[in-house]
Amino acid sequence: MRKLLPNIYHAIISSQAWVAFCFALLCKYIQLINAWDCDVLIFLAFFATLFAYNLSHWVTDKENWRMLIMVFSGLFSLVLGLIYLKIQIVLILSVLAFISIYYSYAFNKKRLRNLPNIKMISIALVWSITAILPAFNDLGIVGFNLLNLVLSLFFFVVAITIPFDIRDLEEDDESIKTLPQQFGVSGSIKIGVMCIGLSFILFLNYFSFKINQFHIPFLVTLFIALIFLLNSSKTKNKWFTTFWIEGLSALSFILFWIFN
């Protein structure tokens, strides 16, 4: 059993099932605190993330088992979207899917993750918009106030992405111009702290500063994210980012489920 558990743990991480699972729980939490109901998008978020992140790795390693995951998750996402979602949402998801694919796969010998200052923005944009899609699909909610929630999630994702760039500082090509490359480790951490602060304020503003026990899990998650961010450095091993930092996406739902 002691030998088996590390192998299972490694398989969950390397297959990108962990990041997909965490993002799906983040989407579920956003639905719960807004009384939205679109479980299809939870499954879609999981399988679409599974596809996108495996594609990012398959571009370089070309492993057959990763291709199988991509085929299964890609087809499942496509079927779910076409059968259960409104055409407007399918169109939005198509744009987000293109951004995700372009992030990993080169068009005209360029891909988003290698364009200056674009890598982090593209990830945060896709995650934040996907998480609020039930507002459009089931409720038809479109308004300025919803932008507060989108931006709150956007800055949260930017903040928890910074430790990954700090970890890869020595490996990333200088042309990518990640935050650590431009502002150094300490400067990047300060930007991350600002992003967490903005996420906090925008989240409160979205609920008109009327916070109840259901909102507290996200605020606690922001505080824990701040602690992780302040302890980030280029010497941290990959488990610090790929498990613990990635797990921050799921923490809000986990806390919500435990206490409510």
Side-chain angles (χ1 to χ4, degrees):
M1 181 61 71
R2 289 183 178 179
K3 293 182 178 180
L4 181 62
L5 287 177
N7 291 332
I8 295 174
Y9 177 68
H10 186 271
I12 291 173
I13 299 296
S14 60
S15 67
Q16 307 305 308
W18 176 242
V19 62
F21 176 72
C22 291
F23 178 53
L25 289 189
L26 174 63
C27 293
K28 184 62 179 178
Y29 173 75
I30 295 300
Q31 289 191 26
L32 287 171
I33 61 175
N34 286 284
W36 298 341
D37 185 20
C38 189
D39 286 338
V40 172
L41 273 170
I42 303 300
F43 289 100
L44 190 58
F46 174 83
F47 287 105
T49 305
L50 197 62
F51 171 84
Y53 275 73
N54 274 285
L55 174 62
S56 178
H57 289 272
W58 179 83
V59 168
T60 56
D61 61 36
K62 298 292 190 299
E63 294 178 293
N64 291 332
W65 63 267
R66 202 178 292 281
M67 174 57 76
L68 288 175
I69 293 177
M70 288 166 53
V71 170
F72 173 77
S73 57
L75 287 175
F76 200 83
S77 300
L78 184 63
V79 171
L80 276 179
L82 293 177
I83 293 178
Y84 293 104
L85 299 179
K86 295 178 180 179
I87 185 63
Q88 299 95 319
I89 304 303
V90 172
L91 292 175
I92 294 174
L93 284 172
S94 298
V95 174
L96 297 178
F98 174 76
I99 293 174
S100 299
I101 294 172
Y102 190 16
Y103 174 85
S104 304
Y105 196 81
F107 294 95
N108 293 325
K109 298 181 179 181
K110 292 182 179 180
R111 51 180 179 163
L112 284 181
R113 67 178 298 163
N114 292 335
L115 297 179
N117 304 305
I118 298 297
K119 176 183 176 181
M120 186 180 297
I121 293 175
S122 61
I123 296 173
L125 189 66
V126 171
W127 277 45
S128 57
I129 293 177
T130 302
I132 57 89
L133 281 178
F136 298 95
N137 190 67
D138 282 359
L139 307 173
I141 298 175
V142 180
F144 179 78
N145 189 45
L146 195 63
L147 184 61
N148 284 296
L149 183 58
V150 176
L151 290 175
S152 176
L153 293 172
F154 178 87
F155 286 117
F156 167 68
V157 176
V158 167
I160 65 174
T161 303
I162 289 174
F164 288 85
D165 286 339
I166 292 175
R167 180 198 69 188
D168 298 335
L169 180 58
E170 304 298 332
E171 301 174 12
D172 283 335
D173 191 288
E174 293 184 1
S175 62
I176 300 178
K177 296 188 183 300
T178 61
L179 289 181
Q181 289 175 340
Q182 297 179 81
F183 302 102
V185 173
S186 60
S188 301
I189 290 175
K190 290 177 183 177
I191 293 173
V193 172
M194 291 174 58
C195 287
I196 289 175
L198 287 170
S199 180
F200 179 85
I201 293 171
L202 289 163
F203 187 81
L204 292 179
N205 192 43
Y206 173 70
F207 291 104
S208 302
F209 290 87
K210 298 175 182 177
I211 298 300
N212 59 40
Q213 71 271 24
F214 304 118
H215 306 144
I216 292 176
F218 184 72
L219 302 180
V220 172
T221 298
L222 287 176
F223 176 74
I224 295 175
L226 178 63
I227 295 174
F228 274 99
L229 183 65
L230 292 174
N231 286 279
S232 296
S233 74
K234 60 184 178 182
T235 60
K236 294 291 184 182
N237 62 53
K238 291 193 174 184
W239 297 114
F240 174 79
T241 47
T242 55
F243 183 80
W244 294 109
I245 297 292
E246 209 75 80
L248 290 171
S249 303
L251 185 58
S252 296
F253 174 83
I254 293 171
L255 293 174
F256 180 95
W257 181 74
I258 291 173
F259 295 110
N260 295 292

